[in-house]
């Protein structure tokens, strides 16, 4: 059914067929739905009949002369019989047109209808008063049952045809000429619920004004040999938020207030972080002789000692940095002077990270640090046994399906490429060995994520966004296993960690045969290699807190996060943290690869054997990014050699990204 | 030239006498040394010069300013003063910097009339700094409050700075590239992260400005937002410098054009660059325009060509022109707050009908409406309620005017009634089914001038008709009659004779055409013989119908039973009856016409006079209306009917409710009786009495005084031991050195402080104080936790005891305030304000506004400019304040009582100080009466003297003697902005020339002439008519500026209407929103679905999402000492005091609006996007706590298939529940979204600039303000 009609119906307005044909060609070009509704409202009518329509067009200065009126004056009397027949044909026509035609009705069809219409209109002229009174009765009686019949044909739901008849009769009594538009109007006006529902039921979920890519179908290239098919897949979700059982603190008594529990939960959250981090830090042989902060004042230790604590605050002074550090036993001020070797590390410390300081405790209650130890990763990594066969993983993120800047063409090209539609021998080799596709969040653009998003969406509907994505991803060859995690644009918990997509909204994703939904963050073990997959909002805080960080080189802040061994260390800044009793955002084991997204720039680096990569985006530069001069790198796809967890190549689909 | 009349002089003299009396008493009290200063700290100023001297100095400058202003005008005088200060005419200054500082401040004070606090607070510092090449330059450090001075003054301060720089022989500021880029970033960042700038200059504009402005515009940190251009040499902060940003963007750059005028006027050199840039810009614009105009010409030509062929109706053409030139302004509808209803969509038929004029209580950004309107909009509107309006300005408040039209409503039984009377409205309000027409909004011509709003075509109204009537009589019978006044009796008789009218009636009609209406037959008769349009009262809203509808109506009416009558050979209908059936749709047409009718059974009855009003234009059904293209119904009628019509409903204005009205005592949070520190001992309510009862002691920071006689050190400015004067004792925080003379430590060279930590014993102190004032019982005595003033001098506890006894509360500066919404009034009746004729005569009101002696309570008097009419609420409170002052005089200072009031009438004649926020200069006012409305009525000049207009602003009054006795600068907080809203100086005599110039545009005519009405049909600019209608501006400098102001529309009572907006009486959001939507459904000019959608998007969703976001990033605080924590301490307790740690954003805060949102998306047809947003948010909230409250989680998820979100999900995920017939389901099934989306995209695309508006990132909550990546990557 046509948008205009639907729009009107949803606003409780109806349109007669002649009016529809009159208006449809101008709709959206010359006028908008609200304008029409406003106009109708001002005239106090629920029905857009042809007079209203012409008047409206006239008022919009779309047409200058209301043509029907001329005819009014010239041809007054027309045989009623003909008129009635005409009317019915039109209705039939209209319905078939609505039901069947997906494309706008062809010019020929339109023409024939419009001629019909004109004739019909002619009859609706209110001729001389005296005569009129009797005449419509005849008309009405013949017309009425017909229209009811029609309705019945369409819908089985109508239960009270009598009532319709009744109302109709009383309503049109002694009125001017019953113009056909008016007759229909009355039926619907009095009982409009029924016929409308009927119509709705009749017409199946049909084409939307936007595409959800349901007609996008790619099949593996014929004759293409997918070596990956024969490689045994070896994967294991090593860490997923959903697998961790978090026990909420028990309420002390039945009357304990919600707020108290929440405070306790957040307190436990940080205690859990401290505990996990201490374990990591103690793995560093240099971190030794650790003393609780609370003991410092009465042990009064001499010589170098180490403390480990959460950073409460950080302040630059004339001579260095002053920190406030807290552990379970107390709080202390820690100072590191400019002259110290580790002074530069002070820049890398963000609030709420856990750090070890080595130095001396002064009686004035200040700890003078010489050394700073970030949790960090070990200098060297154990070699992992080689794989028998080369196998590749594709890393992507930030697809933003639904955005009007989503590079759909490029993404489709990418899917085709995965299906073996390649350009070179080299690519062929790679594609044939791709076994995994990892998507690190922001898979759709979401709704209501930022003010004014509505105007920047092609698909302003969260269900359809996931439907669209699933339709695209359903074309990923079956032998490729997909891992899909949520990001801040997705229908998922807004605060970190994000366990999964909301099943009821992202159902199509869950129904994909070869997809595995993962949490944010998550660790996937592929053939014995650990891949840490994070959407990466933590990057934001690092960029704003540590000097010389920028969104243009996201791998730098990513590295800082790795060094701090936490996905989003600072509480109370930009990243929302959920009230959970356990901190699941700590990077507990050292990964072989860290993938993040979120900032839309492809960037990578190796640090102490760990491969860090930001996987870019599939969304072209948005208006906002343009304003603040952020240049994303859309449609560049990194391919990872699983064995080494290193970049094998980058496939560039940018040239198809022309939104 | 004398600028006052004899009467005015008497008035001012009497004010001055009262002022002197108060000062005398206060001086006696103050000199006892019980206060921080022995002097009264509110100096008097008669004029701007006086204020400048009092505010910023230097001493003796006032005289020079007066002379120089007379000679050179304000701007030049400011520069001359700079000359003289630098030349040393006002004494020597210790350094060049101080000299520069003084000059800049004094000059800026002159430029801002010495009212606002910008010269004090807006300029943090003036320094002389060095360029990299070693040359010296001048730097002005701006602070946030510079905002209060307005863009022009900000820009001028830069100009003055440059002038000072040259005068002092300093080099220009030479910014480095780094410097320049820092500004570019800062301005952009400020715009994005803090608040929208009114003018957001391009990067190049900023570069040009910074490069060329010869002084450095810098400032202190105003917002906690860091920049990326860090550590730029010479810039002290890495955070945003809000003051400097404002001065560059909204000052120099936005006001460039104005600034150039001043540059020329003041003859300052070196600013050619600005001229060039403005010229370049203008050129660009005109080129654009030219292009446009050529295309326009083309289309015009085209139009003309077609015009030749087509004959258009007069109104058809007018509507065309109107539509082409003045587009509806939807800005005010972009945001609708829950519980504050939309009254009318932009420029929508049935909304507020524009009526030009100014009532006794309107103008100056105030609309008058018929009080019946206030009732019919469910009392959401009350006297003083603010409205956000479509035009001419952005906002206004509502005041009553009973001589303009009220709403036309359709009752539940189908009858239509015109409700022009407040009491009738009260009677009918429960029967209303639909508000067909909202009623008139009386808007002053002056407001159109002020906002430069093109005049909209005037709707036909009585004041226009009477002038056409008079003109016709003059022309046809050559009898000179005058409207709105008493006419020569013979003339009236002669005219009455010609016109066949009763002479008494004619006289009355001429004198008061708004209240006097001819009968319908007379109206038709006059219209016929004088060939003037039908009287507007009997004109219906013909053009609301379409031509077809009109024809159908005429056709339908043929079946009516009509009773005919005759008057002077004129056939007219007395009564019309027609059955609903034969009327059919035409029933609706009758409603839209606004013709009164009744429905009895199934018969529609139109009675006298409306039957005639309906049928006469329809030629009594004798001629049939024929359709004509390009004709409106009125055009059609005017062609065939002998009786011509003018359109009474062309121009409609939209509005929504803004803030509710207010009249309430000012209380700090928590409320305070005395500015005395009690620390934590007083508990949450800081109750000193409680602390004393419990015998607690408390350690507080408090000022110390040392007795000059015996050397005793205590906390009182007078020695409790020997009764001698004591002086502030300064001590060095580092070495402990103490002195009563030095303020800087001679050893450590750091600033010493007058306060010290001290353990106080509340019980002891309170007992002594209670004894001192002879009061031995007390309920509570609320103090403060600690003081924020520089020396931390406390108030004497005695004052608090007396305040508590009289149940009054103190503000941070020591005064007691009463706040009220500002409302303008120029004329009043004695009976309205509850004052006897005799008392008014004593107060100097001897004659009414027409010059007749005052004898009756019903006469209309012109308000004297400094007289004010307070709300009764204010009266009640001020009575208690007056009692407190009397107690204070008697018991604390040992002086006789002064006010001796028992009831509020006793306050009449007493003086107050009016003072507005952001200003530092008060103005003396005299109470002359009270009204039962929550507003502060005063002369528009009086409000303008406080730099307020009346679009919903509020400010305060305090009793004069209270301010004189209790105000002290020593109580003011030391922080930036602390000096705002404090009576640092008080103006004793109001000079209209020295008030905010906005009021100069107020019109003061008795009526708007025909010429005006004709001009509105030509859509003229109001500027073209400024000579036609007299405004205040035309009288400035003459005695008439004080007296003889007129108004166009009278009202029965200035307080008629609901006393309090319904908004204030509604409870939770669900309640508010449902009432608001119930109203929206009832008003024809409002689309309730649009309202629902907008409430969700502009109020509820931002609130929900904002709270959700801030919950997961929230601060924690200690319940006891209020210490803030970024995250909870690991110990689980406050690390400072061991108190309990609590959330600052509760779970409840997030969920608060969810029920409202669900209700809206269920009940109204909002787009799916919006519905999904709400459902997702609900889910977000549920899921956030999944690991905290798993049990509640389960119960929450106990799903109901009736839940809108569940139904939506079921439908969309295929688990469809098919129960048909529900409209809800229809709407939710998501098939219409595209159409609807289209509608809104198109809508928002049309005005491109507005779309930007939407995109504006929401104001961030407190805390870190850095652009979020969320914004970046979304």
């Amino acid at each position: 059914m046509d948008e205009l009609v639907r729009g009107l119906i949803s606003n409780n307005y109806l349109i007669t067929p002649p009016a529809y044909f009159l208006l449809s060609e101008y709709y959206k070009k010359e006028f908008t739905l609200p304008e029409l509704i406003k106009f109708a409202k001002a005239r106090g009518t629920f029905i857009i009949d042809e007079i209203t329509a012409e008047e409206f067009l006239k008022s919009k200065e779309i047409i200058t002369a209301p043509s029907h009126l001329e005819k009014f004056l010239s041809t007054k009397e027309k045989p009623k019989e003909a008129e009635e027949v005409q009317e019915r044909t039109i209705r039939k026509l209209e319905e078939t047109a609505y039901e069947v035609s997906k494309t706008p009705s062809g010019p020929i069809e339109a023409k024939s209808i419009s001629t019909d219409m004109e004739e019909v209109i002619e009859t609706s002229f209110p001729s001389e008063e005296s005569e009129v009174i009797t005449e419509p009765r005849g008309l009405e009686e013949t017309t009425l049952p017909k229209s009811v019949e029609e309705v019945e044909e369409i819908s089985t739901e109508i239960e009270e045809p009598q009532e319709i008849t009744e109302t109709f009769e009383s309503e049109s009594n002694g009125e001017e000429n019953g113009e056909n538009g008016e007759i229909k109007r009355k039926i619907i006006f009095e009982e409009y619920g029924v016929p409308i529902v009927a119509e709705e039921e009749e017409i199946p979920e049909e084409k939307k004004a936007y595409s959800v890519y349901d007609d996008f179908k790619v099949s593996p290239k014929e004759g293409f040999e997918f070596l990956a098919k024969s490689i045994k897949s070896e994967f294991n979700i090593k860490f997923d938020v959903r697998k961790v059982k978090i026990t909420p603190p028990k309420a002390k008594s039945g009357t304990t207030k919600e707020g108290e529990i929440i405070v306790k939960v957040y307190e436990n959250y940080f205690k859990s972080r401290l505990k996990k981090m201490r374990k990591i830090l103690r793995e560093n042989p240099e971190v030794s002789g650790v003393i609780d902060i609370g003991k410092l004042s009465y042990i009064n230790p001499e010589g170098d000692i180490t403390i480990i604590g959460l950073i409460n605050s950080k302040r630059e002074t004339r001579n260095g940095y002053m920190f406030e550090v807290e552990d379970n036993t107390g709080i202390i001020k820690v100072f590191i002077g400019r002259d110290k070797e580790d002074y530069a590390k002070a820049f890398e410390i963000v609030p709420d990270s856990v750090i070890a300081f080595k130095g001396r405790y002064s009686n004035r209650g200040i700890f003078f640090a010489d050394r700073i130890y970030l949790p960090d990763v070990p200098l060297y990594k154990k070699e992992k046994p080689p794989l028998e066969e080369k196998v590749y993983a594709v890393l992507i993120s930030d697809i933003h399906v639904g955005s009007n800047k989503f590079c759909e063409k490029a993404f489709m090209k990418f899917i085709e490429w995965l299906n073996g539609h390649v350009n070179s021998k080299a690519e062929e080799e790679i594609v044939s060995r791709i076994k995994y596709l990892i998507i690190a969040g922001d898979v759709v653009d979401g709704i209501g994520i930022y003010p004014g998003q509505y105007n920047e969406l092609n698909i302003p509907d969260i269900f359809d966004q996931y439907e669209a994505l699933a339709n695209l991803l359903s074309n990923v060859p079956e032998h490729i296993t997909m891992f899909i995690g949520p990001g801040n644009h997705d229908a998922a918990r807004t605060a970190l960690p994000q366990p999964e997509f909301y099943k009821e909204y992202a159902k199509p994703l869950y129904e994909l045969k070869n997809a595995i939904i993962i949490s944010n963050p998550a660790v996937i073990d592929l053939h014995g290699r650990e891949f840490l997959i994070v959407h990466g909002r933590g990057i934001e805080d690092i960029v704003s807190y540590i000097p010389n960080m920028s969104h243009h080189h996201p791998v730098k802040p990513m590295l800082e996060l790795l060094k701090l061994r936490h996905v989003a260390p600072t509480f109370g800044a930009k990243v929302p943290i959920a009230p959970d009793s356990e901190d699941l955002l700590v990077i507990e084991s050292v990964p072989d690869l860290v993938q993040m997204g979120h900032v839309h720039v492809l960037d990578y680096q190796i640090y102490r054997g760990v491969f860090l990569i930001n996987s870019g985006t599939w969304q072209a530069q948005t208006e906002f990014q343009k304003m603040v001069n952020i240049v994303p790198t859309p449609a560049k796809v990194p391919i990872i050699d699983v064995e080494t967890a290193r970049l094998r190549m980058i496939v560039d689909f940018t040239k198809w990204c022309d939104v | 030239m004398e600028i006052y009349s004899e009467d005015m002089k008497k008035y001012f003299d009497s004010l001055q006498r009262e002022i002197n009396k108060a000062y005398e008493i206060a001086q006696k009290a103050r000199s006892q040394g019980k206060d921080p200063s022995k002097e009264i700290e509110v100096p008097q100023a008669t004029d701007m010069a006086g204020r400048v001297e009092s505010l910023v100095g230097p001493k003796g400058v006032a005289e020079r300013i007066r002379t120089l202003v007379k000679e050179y005008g304000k701007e030049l005088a400011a520069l001359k003063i700079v000359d003289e200060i630098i030349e040393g005419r006002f004494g020597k200054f210790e350094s060049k910097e101080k000299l520069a500082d003084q000059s800049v401040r004094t000059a800026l004070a002159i430029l801002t009339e010495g009212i606002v606090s910008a010269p004090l607070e807006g300029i943090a510092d003036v320094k002389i700094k060095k360029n990299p090449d070693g040359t010296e330059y001048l730097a002005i450090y701006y602070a946030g409050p510079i905002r209060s001075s307005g863009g022009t003054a900000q820009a001028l301060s830069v100009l003055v700075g440059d002038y000072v720089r040259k005068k002092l022989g300093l080099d220009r500021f030479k910014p480095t590239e780094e410097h320049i880029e820092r500004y570019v970033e800062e301005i952009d960042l400020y715009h994005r992260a803090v608040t929208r700038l009114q003018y957001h200059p391009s990067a190049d504009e900023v570069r040009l400005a910074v490069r060329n402005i010869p002084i450095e515009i810098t400032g202190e940190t105003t917002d906690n937002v860091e920049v990326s251009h860090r550590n730029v040499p010479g810039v002290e902060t890495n955070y945003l410098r809000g003051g400097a940003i404002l001065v560059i963007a909204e000052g120099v750059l936005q006001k460039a054009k104005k600034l150039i005028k001043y540059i020329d006027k003041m003859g300052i050199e070196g600013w050619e660059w600005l001229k060039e840039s403005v010229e370049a810009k203008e050129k660009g614009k005109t080129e654009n325009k030219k292009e446009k105009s050529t295309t326009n010409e083309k289309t015009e030509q085209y139009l003309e060509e077609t015009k030749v062929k087509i004959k258009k109706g007069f109104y058809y053409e007018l509507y065309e022109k109107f539509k082409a030139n003045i587009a509806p302004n939807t800005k005010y509808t972009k945001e609708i707050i829950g519980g504050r209803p939309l009254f009318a969509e932009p420029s929508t038929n049935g909304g507020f009908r524009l009526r030009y004029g100014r009532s006794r209580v309107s103008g100056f950004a105030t609309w008058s409406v018929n009080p019946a309107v206030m009732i019919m909009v469910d009392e959401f509107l009350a006297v003083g309620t603010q409205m956000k309006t479509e035009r001419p300005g952005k906002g206004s408040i509502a005041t009553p005017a009973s001589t303009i039209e009220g709403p036309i409503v359709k009752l539940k039984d189908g009858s239509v009634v015109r409700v022009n009377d407040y009491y009738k409205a009260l009677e009918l309000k429960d029967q209303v089914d639909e508000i067909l027409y909202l009623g008139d909004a009386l808007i002053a011509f002056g407001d159109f001038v002020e906002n430069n709003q093109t005049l909209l075509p005037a709707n036909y109204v009585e004041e226009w008709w009477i002038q056409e009537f008079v003109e016709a009589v003059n022309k046809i019978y050559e009898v000179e009659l005058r409207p709105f006044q008493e006419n020569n009796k013979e003339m009236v008789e002669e005219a009455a004779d010609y016109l066949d009218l009763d002479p008494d009636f004619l006289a009355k009609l001429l004198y008061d055409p708004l209240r006097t209406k001819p009968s319908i037959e007379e109206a038709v008769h006059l219209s016929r013989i004088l060939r003037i349009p039908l009287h507007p009262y009997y004109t219906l809203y013909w053009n609301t119908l379409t031509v077809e509808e009109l024809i159908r109506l005429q056709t339908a009416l043929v079946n009516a039973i009509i009773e005919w009558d005759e008057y002077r050979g004129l056939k007219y209908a007395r009564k019309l009856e027609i059955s609903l059936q034969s009327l059919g749709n035409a029933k609706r047409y009758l409603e839209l016409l606004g013709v009164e009718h009744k429905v009895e059974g199934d018969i529609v009855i139109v009675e006298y006079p409306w039957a005639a009003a309906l049928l006469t234009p329809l030629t009594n059904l004798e001629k049939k209306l024929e359709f004509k293209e390009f004709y409106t119904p009125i055009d059609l009628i005017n062609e065939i009917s002998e009786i011509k019509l003018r359109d009474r409903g062309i121009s409609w204005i939209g509005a929504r409710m803004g803030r509710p009205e207010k009249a309430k005592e000012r209380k700090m949070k928590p409320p305070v009786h005395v500015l005395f520190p009690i620390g934590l001992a007083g508990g949450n309510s800081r109750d000193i009495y409680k602390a004393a009862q419990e015998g607690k002691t408390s350690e507080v920071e408090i000022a110390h005084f040392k007795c000059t006689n015996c050397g005793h050190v205590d906390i009182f400015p007078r020695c409790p031991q020997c009764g001698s004067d004591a002086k502030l004792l300064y001590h060095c925080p580092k070495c402990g050195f103490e002195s009563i003379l030095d303020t800087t430590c001679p050893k450590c060279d750091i600033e010493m402080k007058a306060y010290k930590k001290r353990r106080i014993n509340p019980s002891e102190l309170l007992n002594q104080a209670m004894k001192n004032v002879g009061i031995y019982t007390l309920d509570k005595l609320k103090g403060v936790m600690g003081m924020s003033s520089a020396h931390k001098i406390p108030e004497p506890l005695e004052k608090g005891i007396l305040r508590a006894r009289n149940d009054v509360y103190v503000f941070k500066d020591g005064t007691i305030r009463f706040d009220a919404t500002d409302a303008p009034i120029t004329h009043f009746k004695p009976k309205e304000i509850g004052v006897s004729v005799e008392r008014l005569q004593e107060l100097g009101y001897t004659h009414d506004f027409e010059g007749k002696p005052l004898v009756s309570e019903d006469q209309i008097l012109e308000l004297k400019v400094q007289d004010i009419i307070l709300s009764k609420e204010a009266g009640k409170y001020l009575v208690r304040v007056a009692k407190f002052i009397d107690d204070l005089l008697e018991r604390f200072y040992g002086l006789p009582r002064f006010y001796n009031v028992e009831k509020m009438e006793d306050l009449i004649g007493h003086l107050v100080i009016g003072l507005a926020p952001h200003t530092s200069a008060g103005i003396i006012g005299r109470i002359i009466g009270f009204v039962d409305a929550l507003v502060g009525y005063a002369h528009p000049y009086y409000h303008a003297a406080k730099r307020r207009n009346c679009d919903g602003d509020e400010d305060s009054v305090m009793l004069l003697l209270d301010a004189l006795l209790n105000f002290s600068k020593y109580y003011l907080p030391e922080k930036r902005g602390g000096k705002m809203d404090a009576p640092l100086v008080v103006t004793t005599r109001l000079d209209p020339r020295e008030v905010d110039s906005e009021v100069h545009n107020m019109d003061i005519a008795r009526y708007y002439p025909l010429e005006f009405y004709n001009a509105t049909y030509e859509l003229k600019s109001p500027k073209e008519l400024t000579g036609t209608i007299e405004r205040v501006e035309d009288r400035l400098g003459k005695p008439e500026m004080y007296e003889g102001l007129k108004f166009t529309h009278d009202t029965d009572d200035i307080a008629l209407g609901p006393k309090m907006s319904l908004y204030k009486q509604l409870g939770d959001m669900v309640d508010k929103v449902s009432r608001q939507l119930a109203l929206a459904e009832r008003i024809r000019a409002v689309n309730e679905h649009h309202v629902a959608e907008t409430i969700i998007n502009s109020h509820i969703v931002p609130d929900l999402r904002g709270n959700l976001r801030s919950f997961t990033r929230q601060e924690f605080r200690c319940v006891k000492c209020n210490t803030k924590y970024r995250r909870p301490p690991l110990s689980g307790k406050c690390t400072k005091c061991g108190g309990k740690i609590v959330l600052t954003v509760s779970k409840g805060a997030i969920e608060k609006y969810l029920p409202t949102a669900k209700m809206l998306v269920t009940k109204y047809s909002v787009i799916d996007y919006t519905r999904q947003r709400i459902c997702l948010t609900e889910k977000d909230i549920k899921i956030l706590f999944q690991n905290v409250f798993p049990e509640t989680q389960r119960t929450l998820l106990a799903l109901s298939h009736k839940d809108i979100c569940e139904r939506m999900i079921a439908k969309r995920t295929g688990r469809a529940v098919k129960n048909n017939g529900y409209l809800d389901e229809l709407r939710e099934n998501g098939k219409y979204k595209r159409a609807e989306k289209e509608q809104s995209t198109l809508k928002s695309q049309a005005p491109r600039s507005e779309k930007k508006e939407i995109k504006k990132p929401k104001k961030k909550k407190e805390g870190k303000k850095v652009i979020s990546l969320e914004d970046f990557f979304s």
Side-chain angles (χ1 to χ4, degrees), chain B residues 321-354:
Chain B
K321 200 164 92 186
F322 181 19
K323 224 164 96 189
N325 286 294
I326 304 171
N329 177 3
T330 58
K331 208 164 175 184
Y332 75 101
T333 60
K334 296 285 175 212
E335 188 190 40
I336 299 176
I337 293 168
R340 305 189 187 179
L342 180 67
F343 297 126
E345 309 265 352
S347 305
T348 303
N349 183 312
F352 280 113
R353 186 179 78 132
L354 169 63

Side-chain angles (χ1 to χ4, degrees), chain B residues 822-946:
Chain B
D822 290 327
I825 180 167
T826 52
H827 299 74
F828 67 98
K829 295 179 194 166
K831 69 165 185 196
E832 287 171 336
I833 62 166
V835 186
S836 67
V837 169
E838 295 72 34
R839 185 78 183 98
L840 280 169
Q841 280 165 339
E842 283 167 32
L843 291 171
Y845 288 95
T846 53
H847 290 83
D848 76 2
F849 87 117
E850 286 167 319
K852 291 179 214 143
L854 174 62
V855 288
S856 146
E857 286 201 323
D858 291 313
Q859 275 170 287
I860 296 175
L861 306 176
E862 186 178 356
L863 186 74
K864 298 192 188 292
V865 292
Q866 276 172 273
D867 285 356
I868 62 172
I869 298 164
L870 293 172
S871 164
K872 284 192 174 160
E873 302 295 317
K876 284 181 212 152
Y877 190 64
L878 291 184
V879 166
R880 301 212 299 267
V881 178
K883 283 185 176 166
F884 155 68
I885 301 287
D886 280 355
D887 281 353
L888 192 67
L889 285 171
E890 193 176 58
R891 293 169 185 251
F892 185 60
Y893 293 113
L895 295 169
R897 296 175 82 86
F898 176 75
Y899 287 105
N900 293 313
V901 297
E902 281 308 320
K903 47 190 195 306
M904 64 175 108
E905 287 72 26
D906 300 339
L907 282 169
I908 288 167
H910 280 298
L911 301 186
V912 297
I913 295 180
L915 181 70
H918 304 290
T919 67
S920 304
I923 176 149
I924 295 284
R926 182 175 72 167
I927 302 172
I928 61 153
F930 299 94
V931 288
D932 200 9
L934 299 180
V935 292
Y937 271 126
H939 202 284
Y941 293 172
Y942 186 81
H943 294 307
K946 295 174 299 186

Side-chain angles (χ1 to χ4, degrees), chain A residues 434-507:
Chain A
I434 289 173
K435 191 123 186 78
Y436 307 102
L437 168 63
I438 306 178
I439 311 176
D442 282 1
V443 299
V444 298
D445 206 50
I447 60 158
I449 308 295
Y450 57 93
Q453 186 186 16
Y454 186 76
N455 297 320
E456 293 176 29
L457 287 176
N458 261 351
I459 309 179
D461 184 301
I462 190 71
F463 296 99
D464 287 336
Q465 289 183 2
Y466 282 108
E467 177 81 45
L469 175 70
N471 282 335
L472 290 170
L473 294 181
S474 65
N475 295 301
V476 171
E478 243 175 87
H479 66 273
I480 298 181
T481 306
M482 292 182 273
F483 300 92
I484 311 174
N488 56 309
H489 276 250
D490 285 301
R493 177 150 94 167
T494 48
L496 291 187
Q498 297 179 289
E500 61 181 325
F501 302 93
Y502 296 150
K503 283 199 178 103
E504 59 269 45
Y505 291 95
K507 201 173 164 221

Side-chain angles (χ1 to χ4, degrees), chain A residues 66 79 152 169 183 202 227-228 251 265 298 313 357 403 420 543 581 609:
Chain A
E152 273 174 344
E169 258 168 1
I183 289 166
E202 177 65 10
L227 294 172
V265 163
Y298 61 85
S313 66
F357 296 95
S403 160
V543 166
S581 288

